[in-house]
């Protein structure tokens, strides 16, 4: 990993980034970022207070007139420069992401960081394409057209599982559309969000356009969501917290974008390629140590393939290499914290009373004992209404259940409150196409599970929230649509006036 920067030196001035500079929080409370692979301290910093949030929002509000008044080309150029700076600093970003999250370095290097750079390049182009409906004479006597206008200050909250990518997903469409932003990253993982804001300054973006406040959810987060000068709140996190965010946002009648929990089904029909489905299930359930809202968590396998699928998935899971996140050969890192590991272990231990743990279901010993590690886990024999099938575990756990008919399989896939992502595995075009139509989820993959691209939207159905990240569709979240109508007649007493006063 080349020349790794010293985190404590890098953030010696604090873990708040307000109006173009790092500074310390003023809450009087500190928080420690911990390396989940070792339990070692990475950085201790002062959390943001409500006063810090107020200052960040005020900085964003001051920056808004000039930034929203910049031409699309000027904002595009700034984002192109940011993409170049991110590429130059890619190694540092990958290192920091793995250090704070425990991600294997190959995941940070090949997925998180290049995905963020690509997102930045995409929105640099998209900034010039904020299109509305074409001008036209729809009433006959008037010319109408649509303007897309920035909302103002956006207040966003990002989660700890993909700190860099989620920061980018929040920041990029917002500022490409001309908004300014205050982002609150998770207290556990603030490093790369702060680095992203610093990279934006290096790229020449004006101070105040991007601000980062790192504080507790109940203090800094709730104050940001309820702030009267924030025009839109975008939140990614659990459905339970999303409900609280919605309550606060509704009280101030602000725009709201929610990307919440998931419990993605992995639907395997009996004509599927067994080897492809088994490999896909292992990769899709273990990505980011299972800490992914779109990860495969419920595999429904048509009965003729069920036993062979379980056997092959178990065999593949047992080859997965746990280890030091910075070792090139490590496949699976720790969970983000010991608390999260214990939460996952609790689900599995409770499941032993009603299901079978085929492989995994334990923490490793030896050199990994001090880290928040948990072995890849495969569970069978659980009922559809059981906790491990219905609740979001957010760990390296896959539950496999059988089904008989196609109707049953699709019904089971839809039988949770969530609807973020799903996949269908079949060689039959018509069977797969039916699944894409009938599964209620924001993304349905066919014969794959997990890949995302900047040009396509990401967002859920049902309890997984509403609104889209990435793609041009994200501008629906971050712009206001204004109808402008010009009279073309120059007639003072118009015919429609007679419906209000006077006679024809």
């Amino acid at each position: 990993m080349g020349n790794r920067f010293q985190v404590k030196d890098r953030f010696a001035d604090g873990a708040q980034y307000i109006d173009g500079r790092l500074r310390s929080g003023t809450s009087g409370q500190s928080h420690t970022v911990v390396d989940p692979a070792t339990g070692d301290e990475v950085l201790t910093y002062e959390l943001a207070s409500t006063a810090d949030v107020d200052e960040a929002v005020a900085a964003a509000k001051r920056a808004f007139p000039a930034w929203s008044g910049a031409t699309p080309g000027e904002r595009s150029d700034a984002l192109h420069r940011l993409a170049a700076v991110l590429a130059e600093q890619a190694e540092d970003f990958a290192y920091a992401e793995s250090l704070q999250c425990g991600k294997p370095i190959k995941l940070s290097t090949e997925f998180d960081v290049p995905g963020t750079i690509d997102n930045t390049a995409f929105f640099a182009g998209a900034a010039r394409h904020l299109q509305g409906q074409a001008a036209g004479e729809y009433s006959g006597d008037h010319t109408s057209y649509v303007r897309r206008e920035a909302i103002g200050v956006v207040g966003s909250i990002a989660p700890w599982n993909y700190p860099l990518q989620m920061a980018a997903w929040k920041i990029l469409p917002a500022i490409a559309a001309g908004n300014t932003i205050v982002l609150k990253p998770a207290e556990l993982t603030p490093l790369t969000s702060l680095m992203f804001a610093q990279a934006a300054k290096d790229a020449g973006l004006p101070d105040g356009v991007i601000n980062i406040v790192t504080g507790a959810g109940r203090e800094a987060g709730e104050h940001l969501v309820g702030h009267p000068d924030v025009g839109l709140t975008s939140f990614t996190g659990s459905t339970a917290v999303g409900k609280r965010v919605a309550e606060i946002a509704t009280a101030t009648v602000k725009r709201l974008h929610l990307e919440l929990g998931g419990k993605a089904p992995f639907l395997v029909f009996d004509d599927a390629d067994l080897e492809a489905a088994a490999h896909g299930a292992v990769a899709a359930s273990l990505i980011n140590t299972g800490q992914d809202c779109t990860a495969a968590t419920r595999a429904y396998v048509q009965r003729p393939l069920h036993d062979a699928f379980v056997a092959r998935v178990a065999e593949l899971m047992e080859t997965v290499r746990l280890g030091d996140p910075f070792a090139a050969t490590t496949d699976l890192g720790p969970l983000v914290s010991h608390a999260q590991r214990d939460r996952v272990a609790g689900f599995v231990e409770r499941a032993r009373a009603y299901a079978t743990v085929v492989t995994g279901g334990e923490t490793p010993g030896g050199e990994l004992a001090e880290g928040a590690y948990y072995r890849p886990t495969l569970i069978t024999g659980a009922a559809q209404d059981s906790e491990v099938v219905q609740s979001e575990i957010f760990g390296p756990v896959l539950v496999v259940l059988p089904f008989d008919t196609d109707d049953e399989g699709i019904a089971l896939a839809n039988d949770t409150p969530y609807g973020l992502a799903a996949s269908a595995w079949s060689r039959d075009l018509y069977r797969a196409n039916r699944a894409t139509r009938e599964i209620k989820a924001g993304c349905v993959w066919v014969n794959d599970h997990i890949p995302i691209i900047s040009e396509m939207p990401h967002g859920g159905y049902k309890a997984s929230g509403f609104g889209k990240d990435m793609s041009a569709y994200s501008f629906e979240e971050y712009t206001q649509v204004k109808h402008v109508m010009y009279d073309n007649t120059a007639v003072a007493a118009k015919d429609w006036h007679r419906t209000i006063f006077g006679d024809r």
Side-chain angles (χ1 to χ4, degrees):
M1 280 304 295
N3 298 315
R4 298 174 178 175
F5 62 86
Q6 296 299 310
V7 172
K8 292 179 182 179
D9 293 340
R10 178 72 175 259
F11 300 107
D13 292 331
Q16 317 300 327
Y17 188 85
I18 299 173
D19 206 14
R21 68 180 183 91
L22 284 173
R23 42 161 286 186
S24 185
T26 62
S27 69
Q29 297 179 319
S30 63
H31 185 84
T32 298
V33 177
V34 174
D35 177 353
T38 63
D40 294 341
E41 176 192 345
V42 173
L43 176 71
T44 297
Y45 65 92
E46 296 298 314
L47 292 166
S49 66
T50 56
D52 297 325
V53 174
D54 289 340
E55 288 190 35
V57 172
K61 187 176 180 180
R62 287 193 301 271
F64 176 72
W67 182 249
S68 62
T71 67
E74 289 168 336
R75 291 197 295 269
S76 175
D77 289 346
L79 291 178
H80 277 300
R81 294 194 302 271
L82 175 56
V85 171
L86 294 173
E88 291 169 2
Q89 299 177 6
E91 186 176 282
D92 281 353
F93 274 98
Y95 167 68
E97 196 76 338
S98 288
L99 184 65
Q100 67 182 352
C101 298
K103 294 174 188 283
I105 194 64
K106 66 179 181 180
L107 182 65
S108 295
T109 301
E110 299 179 29
F111 182 72
D112 296 72
V113 174
T116 301
I117 295 169
D118 185 72
N119 256 231
T120 307
F122 171 80
F123 280 107
R128 304 182 82 134
H129 295 281
L130 285 169
Q131 297 174 343
Q133 192 169 1
E137 288 68 50
Y138 298 99
S139 79
D141 291 338
H142 305 83
T143 295
S144 289
Y145 69 88
V146 169
R147 291 176 55 89
R148 281 195 178 274
E149 296 182 347
I151 293 168
V153 178
V154 174
S156 292
I157 300 175
W160 48 255
N161 57 333
Y162 289 102
L164 175 60
Q165 289 207 79
M166 294 297 101
W169 286 15
K170 301 300 182 194
I171 292 169
L172 292 169
I175 66 174
N179 302 283
T180 55
I181 189 167
V182 178
L183 173 78
K184 192 197 90 65
E187 305 96 296
L188 290 172
T189 55
L191 304 183
T192 46
S193 297
L194 293 163
M195 291 168 63
F196 189 93
Q198 290 176 303
K201 185 178 180 72
D202 293 344
L205 271 76
D207 293 346
V209 172
I210 300 173
N211 305 273
I212 310 293
V213 289
T214 309
R218 289 192 178 276
E219 184 174 4
E222 292 195 1
H223 190 66
L224 177 61
V225 173
H227 200 289
D229 289 335
V230 169
L232 178 147
T233 288
S234 178
F235 170 80
T236 296
S238 70
T239 298
V241 177
K243 291 177 180 178
R244 174 61 180 156
V245 168
E247 289 174 0
I248 298 169
T250 299
T252 52
V253 198
K254 56 169 54 76
R255 295 271 291 273
L256 186 61
H257 167 217
L258 298 175
E259 197 263 89
L260 307 177
K263 192 70 178 175
F266 188 99
L267 186 60
V268 183
F269 294 102
D270 58 14
D271 66 332
D273 181 325
L274 177 61
E275 195 68 7
H279 277 81
V282 172
S285 63
L286 300 185
I287 184 171
N288 204 36
T289 318
Q291 299 165 126
D292 187 313
C293 293
T294 64
T297 59
R298 302 177 288 138
Y300 296 100
V301 185
Q302 207 149 25
R303 207 169 293 275
L305 284 188
H306 177 271
D307 291 352
F309 178 87
V310 169
R312 186 60 175 135
V313 168
E315 183 179 39
L316 291 172
M317 279 189 170
E318 288 165 6
T319 70
V320 172
R321 299 163 295 184
L322 280 68
D324 176 5
F326 292 102
T329 56
T330 294
D331 298 320
L332 196 74
L335 286 103
V336 74
S337 68
H338 288 76
Q340 180 63 14
R341 183 209 49 198
D342 294 345
R343 178 180 180 275
V344 170
F347 276 99
V348 176
E349 291 309 305
R350 291 190 295 274
R352 292 184 192 276
Y354 55 81
T356 300
V357 178
V358 177
T359 189
E362 62 184 9
T363 58
E367 295 179 354
L368 303 181
E370 297 302 315
Y373 290 90
Y374 198 76
R375 294 197 184 282
T377 301
L378 180 64
I379 295 175
T380 61
Q384 175 65 15
D385 62 354
S386 64
E387 180 186 49
V388 289
V389 175
Q390 293 293 326
S391 298
E392 188 172 33
I393 299 173
F394 230 54
V397 180
L398 177 65
V399 184
V400 181
L401 300 91
F403 71 92
D404 291 303
T405 67
D406 289 15
D407 287 350
E408 181 189 11
I410 291 172
L412 288 169
N414 284 327
D415 185 29
T416 71
Y418 301 106
L420 186 58
S423 63
W425 297 75
S426 174
R427 291 184 175 96
D428 185 322
L429 171 64
Y430 297 99
R431 216 174 195 184
N433 196 28
R434 178 193 174 190
T436 66
R437 293 194 311 271
E438 297 186 14
I439 292 176
K440 305 304 181 186
C443 175
V444 181
W445 293 281
V446 176
N447 295 327
D448 208 343
H449 191 120
I450 284 298
I452 53 175
I453 49 176
S454 297
E455 291 82 359
M456 288 291 118
H458 176 88
Y461 285 26
K462 303 190 293 185
S464 292
F466 47 82
K468 301 299 179 184
D469 289 310
M470 300 197 298
S471 81
Y473 289 98
S474 65
F475 287 131
E476 302 292 339
E477 316 304 319
Y478 296 101
T479 57
Q480 301 189 94
V481 174
K482 176 184 289 184
H483 171 215
V484 178
M485 178 180 261
Y486 285 89
D487 171 61
N488 293 330
T489 66
V491 173
K494 294 179 171 55
D495 187 58
W496 74 266
H497 293 173
R498 305 300 177 255
T499 63
I500 313 302
F501 70 98
D503 300 315
R504 288 187 182 275

